[in-house]
Coordinates of all heavy atoms in Angstrom, one line a residue:
Chain C
L99 N -83.2 -60.3 -19.9 CA -82.6 -60.0 -21.3 C -82.2 -61.3 -21.9 O -81.5 -62.1 -21.3 CB -81.4 -59.1 -21.1 CG -80.6 -58.9 -22.4 CD1 -81.5 -58.1 -23.5 CD2 -79.3 -58.0 -22.1
N100 N -82.7 -61.6 -23.1 CA -82.3 -62.7 -23.9 C -81.6 -62.2 -25.2 O -82.3 -61.8 -26.2 CB -83.6 -63.5 -24.3 CG -83.3 -64.7 -25.1 OD1 -82.2 -64.8 -25.8 ND2 -84.1 -65.7 -25.1
K101 N -80.3 -62.2 -25.1 CA -79.5 -61.5 -26.2 C -79.7 -62.3 -27.5 O -79.7 -61.7 -28.6 CB -78.1 -61.4 -25.8 CG -77.8 -60.3 -24.8 CD -76.3 -60.1 -24.6 CE -75.7 -61.3 -23.9 NZ -74.3 -61.1 -23.6
S102 N -79.7 -63.6 -27.5 CA -79.8 -64.4 -28.7 C -81.1 -64.1 -29.4 O -81.1 -64.1 -30.7 CB -79.7 -65.9 -28.4 OG -80.7 -66.3 -27.6
A103 N -82.2 -63.8 -28.7 CA -83.4 -63.5 -29.3 C -83.6 -62.0 -29.5 O -84.6 -61.6 -30.0 CB -84.6 -64.1 -28.4
K104 N -82.7 -61.2 -29.0 CA -82.8 -59.8 -29.0 C -84.1 -59.3 -28.4 O -84.9 -58.6 -29.0 CB -82.7 -59.2 -30.4 CG -81.3 -59.4 -31.0 CD -81.1 -58.6 -32.3 CE -79.8 -58.7 -32.9 NZ -79.6 -60.0 -33.5
H105 N -84.4 -59.8 -27.2 CA -85.6 -59.6 -26.5 C -85.4 -59.3 -25.1 O -84.6 -60.0 -24.4 CB -86.5 -60.9 -26.7 CG -87.8 -60.8 -26.0 ND1 -88.9 -60.2 -26.5 CD2 -88.2 -61.3 -24.7 CE1 -89.9 -60.3 -25.6 NE2 -89.5 -60.9 -24.6
L106 N -86.2 -58.4 -24.5 CA -86.2 -58.2 -23.1 C -87.6 -58.0 -22.6 O -88.5 -57.7 -23.4 CB -85.3 -57.0 -22.7 CG -85.5 -55.6 -23.1 CD1 -85.0 -54.6 -22.1 CD2 -84.9 -55.4 -24.5
S107 N -87.8 -58.3 -21.3 CA -89.1 -58.2 -20.8 C -89.0 -57.6 -19.4 O -88.0 -57.8 -18.7 CB -89.8 -59.6 -20.7 OG -89.1 -60.5 -19.9
L108 N -90.0 -56.9 -19.0 CA -90.2 -56.3 -17.7 C -91.3 -57.1 -16.9 O -92.4 -57.1 -17.5 CB -90.5 -54.8 -17.8 CG -90.8 -54.1 -16.4 CD1 -89.5 -54.1 -15.6 CD2 -91.3 -52.7 -16.7
H109 N -91.0 -57.6 -15.8 CA -92.0 -58.3 -15.0 C -92.3 -57.5 -13.7 O -91.3 -57.0 -13.1 CB -91.5 -59.7 -14.5 CG -91.3 -60.6 -15.7 ND1 -91.5 -62.0 -15.5 CD2 -91.0 -60.5 -17.0 CE1 -91.3 -62.6 -16.7 NE2 -91.0 -61.7 -17.6
I110 N -93.5 -57.3 -13.5 CA -94.0 -56.6 -12.3 C -94.8 -57.5 -11.5 O -95.9 -58.0 -12.0 CB -94.8 -55.3 -12.6 CG1 -94.0 -54.4 -13.6 CG2 -95.1 -54.5 -11.4 CD1 -94.8 -53.2 -14.2
V111 N -94.4 -57.8 -10.3 CA -95.2 -58.7 -9.4 C -95.0 -58.4 -8.0 O -93.9 -58.3 -7.5 CB -94.8 -60.2 -9.8 CG1 -93.3 -60.5 -9.6 CG2 -95.6 -61.2 -8.9
P112 N -96.1 -58.3 -7.2 CA -97.5 -58.2 -7.7 C -97.8 -56.9 -8.3 O -97.3 -55.9 -7.8 CB -98.3 -58.5 -6.4 CG -97.4 -57.9 -5.3 CD -96.0 -58.1 -5.7
S113 N -98.7 -56.9 -9.3 CA -99.1 -55.6 -9.9 C -100.0 -54.8 -9.0 O -100.8 -55.4 -8.3 CB -99.8 -55.8 -11.2 OG -98.9 -56.6 -12.1
Q114 N -99.9 -53.5 -9.0 CA -100.7 -52.6 -8.1 C -101.4 -51.6 -9.0 O -100.8 -51.2 -10.1 CB -99.8 -51.9 -7.1 CG -99.1 -52.9 -6.1 CD -98.1 -52.2 -5.2 OE1 -97.9 -51.0 -5.3 NE2 -97.6 -53.0 -4.3
P115 N -102.5 -51.0 -8.6 CA -103.2 -50.0 -9.4 C -102.3 -48.8 -9.7 O -102.3 -48.2 -10.8 CB -104.4 -49.6 -8.5 CG -104.7 -50.9 -7.8 CD -103.3 -51.5 -7.5
G116 N -101.4 -48.5 -8.8 CA -100.4 -47.4 -9.0 C -99.4 -47.6 -10.1 O -98.7 -46.7 -10.6
D117 N -99.3 -48.9 -10.6 CA -98.4 -49.2 -11.7 C -99.0 -48.9 -13.0 O -98.3 -48.9 -14.1 CB -98.1 -50.7 -11.7 CG -97.4 -51.2 -10.4 OD1 -96.6 -50.3 -9.9 OD2 -97.5 -52.3 -10.0
S118 N -100.3 -48.5 -13.0 CA -100.9 -48.1 -14.3 C -100.3 -46.9 -14.9 O -100.3 -45.8 -14.3 CB -102.4 -47.8 -14.1 OG -103.1 -49.0 -13.6
A119 N -99.7 -47.1 -16.1 CA -98.9 -46.0 -16.7 C -98.5 -46.6 -18.1 O -98.8 -47.7 -18.4 CB -97.7 -45.7 -15.9
V120 N -97.7 -45.7 -18.8 CA -97.1 -46.2 -20.1 C -95.7 -46.5 -19.8 O -95.0 -45.8 -19.1 CB -97.2 -45.1 -21.2 CG1 -96.5 -45.6 -22.4 CG2 -98.7 -44.8 -21.5
Y121 N -95.2 -47.7 -20.2 CA -93.9 -48.2 -20.0 C -93.1 -48.2 -21.3 O -93.6 -48.7 -22.3 CB -93.9 -49.6 -19.4 CG -94.4 -49.6 -18.0 CD1 -95.8 -49.5 -17.7 CD2 -93.5 -49.6 -16.9 CE1 -96.2 -49.5 -16.4 CE2 -94.0 -49.6 -15.6 CZ -95.3 -49.5 -15.4 OH -95.8 -49.5 -14.1
F122 N -92.0 -47.5 -21.3 CA -91.1 -47.4 -22.5 C -89.8 -48.2 -22.2 O -89.2 -48.1 -21.2 CB -90.7 -46.0 -22.8 CG -91.9 -45.1 -23.2 CD1 -92.5 -44.3 -22.3 CD2 -92.3 -45.1 -24.5 CE1 -93.6 -43.5 -22.7 CE2 -93.4 -44.4 -25.0 CZ -94.0 -43.5 -24.1
C123 N -89.5 -49.0 -23.2 CA -88.2 -49.6 -23.3 C -87.3 -48.7 -24.1 O -87.7 -48.1 -25.1 CB -88.4 -51.0 -24.0 SG -86.9 -51.9 -24.4
A124 N -86.0 -48.6 -23.7 CA -85.1 -47.7 -24.4 C -83.6 -48.3 -24.4 O -83.3 -49.1 -23.5 CB -85.1 -46.3 -23.8
A125 N -82.8 -47.9 -25.4 CA -81.4 -48.3 -25.4 C -80.6 -47.1 -25.9 O -81.0 -46.3 -26.7 CB -81.3 -49.4 -26.4
P126 N -79.4 -46.9 -25.2 CA -78.6 -45.8 -25.7 C -77.8 -46.2 -26.9 O -77.4 -47.3 -27.1 CB -77.6 -45.6 -24.5 CG -77.7 -46.9 -23.7 CD -78.9 -47.6 -24.1
A127 N -77.7 -45.2 -27.8 CA -77.0 -45.4 -29.1 C -76.1 -44.2 -29.4 O -76.0 -43.3 -28.7 CB -78.1 -45.5 -30.2
G128 N -75.3 -44.4 -30.4 CA -74.5 -43.3 -30.9 C -73.2 -43.1 -30.0 O -72.6 -42.1 -30.1
G129 N -72.9 -44.1 -29.2 CA -71.7 -44.0 -28.4 C -71.8 -43.2 -27.1 O -70.9 -43.1 -26.3

Side-chain angles (χ1 to χ4, degrees):
Chain C
L99 175 61
N100 182 335
K101 285 188 291 183
S102 61
K104 295 192 179 68
H105 176 84
L106 59 156
S107 60
L108 174 67
H109 293 213
I110 307 173
V111 57
S113 301
Q114 300 173 355
D117 296 330
S118 298
V120 178
Y121 290 79
F122 292 99
C123 172

